[in-house]
Amino acid sequence: MQPADVTSPNAAPASPRALFLTFTVLALQGFGGVLAVAQRELVERKRWLSRDEFLEAYSASQLLPGPNVVNIALMLGDRFFGWRGALAAMAGMLAVPLAIVLLLAASYGQFSHHPMVAGALRGMGAVAAGLTVAMALKLLGSLRNNPMGPTVCAILLLATLMAIAALRLPLAGVVLGLGALGWSAARWRLRKAAARR
Amino acid sequence: MNGSLAGADLADLLVHFLVLSLLAIGGAMSTVPEMHRYLVVDRGWLDDAGFTSSIALAQAAPGPNVLFVPVLGYQIAGLLGAAVALIGILLPSTLLSLAVSRWASTRRDKPGVRAFTAGLAPVTIGLLLATGWVLAQPFLARGTPPYGALAAIGLTVLAMLRTQAAPIWLILAGALAGAGGLI
């Protein structure tokens, strides 16, 4: 691939249909997560988004509830074609992969008693656990610039981990409670930093 | 399993997933511990193995990770269950994301918005670590010391942090090791 100018986008999808097809192709390449494929297709190849716009969309989609890549598809589709575009991009991301995964689930029942199939799925399950842990560890680096400082961040992180993994508290209370605590702490630190300036 | 639920149970599933949708900050995977609590511990609609293999199956297939949700629905109540689970997990977050992205694109530097980003970041990462913990449970709880599973998890983390390897190869390697009886 040529070293594309990824700082400014210069292309747009021709129609919601083009959005649907692009996101279908993109989703079908994504095993174990679509994000890296989305970055390459949307920024470097199609150039519908600049690198910075993609980063911004990803940060926003991490904050918003819902699957990250689906939220990126929604935002991108909405930007070009409004509601129709958002729906087309989301449908592209989900429709064909959904059919495939349900077919797999339906046929799995016939093979599940086979020790090699069960073993393979157990192996994939262990890798899936590792992938999730690795993703969390990678994101730890982004806490370095957090206005709350390392101590408050570590306390909030460990409290969340303990509440969910060890105490098995319901997610709603944990996110709302610790999230509100984090929001207040960040708000306070940002105000203090602004006053000092 | 894979039977059908009564209408009241399906409605209960829908309502529960509609709420979970709004709590899925950091992606659908962060709701895994809560789904496990609800589907396996509270309702007993799935057992541990069914729960974990549904997620592994979705991860092995192409497409976004969120597709593990309709697979769980399918295991509980067939195609209707899959539809209910998918609509539940997507509808509220979709509407909210669209509304918020339209609203926030004009005021992303406001301190309240920045504090929200900063304050929630450690909670999101804590949720992801908890998800990894819950997913690893069935392997750690087995009778014999789970050296194979521990090695697979550790090697995956190492490969993700130290190399550019695409996840698909790691999943494939895990499948081969598992099929060979190593995990």
Side-chain angles (χ1 to χ4, degrees):
Chain A
M1 190 186 312
Q2 65 203 28
D5 169 24
V6 289
T7 49
S8 64
N10 53 9
S15 62
R17 204 180 118 91
L19 271 175
F20 178 88
L21 288 176
T22 297
F23 275 98
T24 299
V25 170
L26 190 157
L28 287 178
Q29 293 177 66
F31 289 85
V34 183
L35 199 75
V37 185
Q39 198 270 340
R40 177 138 86 237
E41 286 286 324
L42 300 177
V43 179
E44 289 167 16
R45 296 188 56 191
K46 298 280 180 184
R47 297 164 84 175
W48 291 346
L49 282 176
S50 75
R51 199 179 45 199
D52 290 354
E53 283 171 333
F54 184 84
L55 259 180
E56 224 164 69
Y58 179 52
S59 315
S61 74
Q62 273 204 309
L63 270 183
L64 290 166
N68 296 332
V69 282
V70 174
N71 280 344
I72 290 176
L74 280 172
M75 284 177 211
L76 187 84
D78 183 51
R79 204 170 94 181
F80 289 116
F81 301 107
W83 279 100
R84 287 167 57 234
L87 278 180
M90 185 170 81
M93 184 72 95
L94 293 174
V96 179
L98 176 66
I100 292 175
V101 81
L102 286 182
L103 272 176
L104 278 176
S107 49
Y108 173 62
Q110 292 160 20
F111 301 109
S112 59
H113 49 82
H114 195 291
M116 268 177 78
V117 175
L121 265 169
R122 209 165 46 240
M124 292 194 284
V127 170
L131 288 178
T132 310
V133 171
M135 187 174 14
L137 293 179
K138 276 186 175 177
L139 287 175
L140 276 179
S142 68
L143 291 183
R144 215 168 283 145
N145 303 320
N146 197 297
M148 290 190 292
T151 315
V152 179
C153 280
I155 292 171
L156 276 174
L157 192 157
L158 290 175
T160 308
L161 181 60
M162 286 297 291
I164 301 285
L167 304 176
R168 291 297 172 97
L169 297 179
L171 181 65
V174 175
V175 169
L176 291 179
L178 292 174
L181 217 65
W183 185 76
S184 323
R187 194 81 214 251
W188 182 67
R189 289 291 177 103
L190 283 170
R191 280 227 186 97
K192 234 173 71 173
R196 210 180 294 135
R197 219 167 278 145
Chain B
M1 238 183 283
N2 211 347
S4 52
L5 295 186
D9 283 338
L10 275 176
D12 192 70
L13 182 75
L14 179 65
V15 170
H16 203 87
F17 278 34
L18 285 170
V19 174
L20 272 186
S21 174
L22 291 176
L23 298 170
I25 291 166
M29 287 306 274
S30 62
T31 63
V32 162
E34 173 67 14
M35 283 186 189
H36 182 269
R37 204 183 66 86
Y38 172 70
L39 298 174
V40 180
V41 181
D42 267 17
R43 301 298 159 124
W45 288 335
L46 274 176
D47 57 15
D48 256 323
F51 186 86
T52 310
S53 65
S54 295
I55 293 175
L57 211 119
Q59 296 242 342
N65 288 334
V66 67
L67 290 177
F68 80 86
V69 178
V71 173
L72 286 174
Y74 181 84
Q75 305 289 3
I76 297 167
L79 284 178
L80 192 59
V84 165
L86 185 63
I87 290 168
I89 202 70
L90 280 182
L91 189 63
S93 69
T94 298
L95 296 177
L96 186 75
S97 291
L98 273 180
V100 169
S101 74
R102 285 177 179 185
W103 178 87
S105 58
T106 54
R107 60 200 94 189
R108 66 173 68 90
D109 293 328
K110 289 273 194 322
V113 176
R114 279 193 58 205
F116 189 73
T117 322
L120 231 65
V123 176
T124 302
I125 299 174
L127 281 180
L128 279 172
L129 282 173
T131 299
W133 174 253
V134 168
L135 288 179
Q137 274 316 294
F139 307 107
L140 307 181
R142 304 180 82 211
T144 51
Y147 298 121
L150 280 179
I153 294 171
L155 285 174
T156 302
V157 172
L158 209 65
M160 286 299 285
L161 296 182
R162 294 291 151 128
T163 72
Q164 300 292 315
I168 175 66
W169 300 117
L170 303 174
I171 289 177
L172 205 68
L176 286 176
L182 293 173
I183 294 174

